[in-house]
C-alpha cells in the first residue's frame, strides 16, 4: 500500500460513519521529508519539524511558545509525552503521533471533535508502529 493510500483511506476517511473528515493530514519522516499528504495540508518549515521532534524528545519544549504549522500557532494541550502532541486553535486543532520513522498529522475543524481526530491519527500511528515503521 502506498503512503498516499494511508493518508487518503485511513486519515482522510469518513469518521465513524458521520460523514465528517479531517481538514488535512500527512505522514512526514522524522527528517521532515513528506511521505504523503492531503491536498490541504500546509507546507511546514524545517524549524517547525525540528521543534516538533524536539518536543517528542523533551516533552514541554513547545508549551511556552506554541506549536506552529506553516506559521499558524496552536496552543499545546495535554498529549502523551514522547508519543503524541495535541494542539488547539479556536474550533479546531491538530494531533501528531510519532512512530519509529514518521510523524502522523491530523488537522481538524468543528464539527469533528478532538477525540475523533485523536482516534483516527493514533489508530494509524499504532498500526504503523506495530509494523516497525
Amino acid at each position: 500500500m502506498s503512503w498516499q493510500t494511508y493518508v487518503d483511506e485511513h486519515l482522510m476517511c469518513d469518521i465513524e460513519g458521520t460523514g465528517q473528515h479531517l481538514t488535512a493530514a500527512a505522514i512526514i519522516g522524522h527528517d521532515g521529508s513528506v511521505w504523503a499528504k492531503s491536498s490541504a495540508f500546509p507546507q511546514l518549515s524545517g524549524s517547525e519539524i525540528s521543534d516538533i521532534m524536539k518536543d517528542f524528545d523533551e516533552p514541554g519544549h513547545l508549551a511556552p511558545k506554541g506549536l506552529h504549522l506553516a506559521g499558524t500557532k496552536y496552543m499545546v494541550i495535554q498529549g502523551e509525552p514522547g508519543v503524541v502532541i495535541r494542539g488547539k486553535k479556536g474550533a479546531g486543532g491538530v494531533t501528531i503521533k510519532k512512530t519509529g520513522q514518521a510523524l502522523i498529522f491530523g488537522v481538524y475543524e468543528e464539527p469533528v471533535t478532538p477525540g475523533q481526530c485523536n482516534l483516527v491519527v493514533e489508530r494509524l500511528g499504532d498500526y504503523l508502529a506495530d509494523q516497525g515503521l
Side-chain angles (χ1 to χ4, degrees), residues 52-128:
I52 291 166
M53 288 301 295
K54 185 167 184 172
D55 195 79
F56 280 116
D57 294 336
E58 300 172 24
H61 168 74
L62 289 172
K65 60 183 179 179
L67 164 65
H68 291 81
L69 299 181
T72 300
K73 182 178 178 180
Y74 292 81
M75 178 178 64
V76 178
I77 55 177
Q78 182 180 0
E80 294 174 53
V83 181
V84 177
I85 298 171
R86 297 187 180 107
K88 184 92 174 110
K89 178 177 174 38
V94 61
T95 301
I96 308 168
K97 167 84 176 187
K98 182 182 180 193
T99 70
Q101 297 178 28
L103 301 173
I104 315 302
F105 287 78
V107 180
Y108 67 93
E109 292 289 337
E110 285 185 340
V112 173
T113 67
Q116 288 171 320
C117 181
N118 296 343
L119 187 67
V120 169
V121 171
E122 293 177 42
R123 184 186 303 145
L124 180 60
D126 290 343
Y127 171 77
L128 293 176

Side-chain angles (χ1 to χ4, degrees), residues 25-38:
I27 302 173
I28 297 178
H30 289 182
D31 62 357
S33 62
V34 177
W35 294 7
K37 66 182 185 72
S38 66

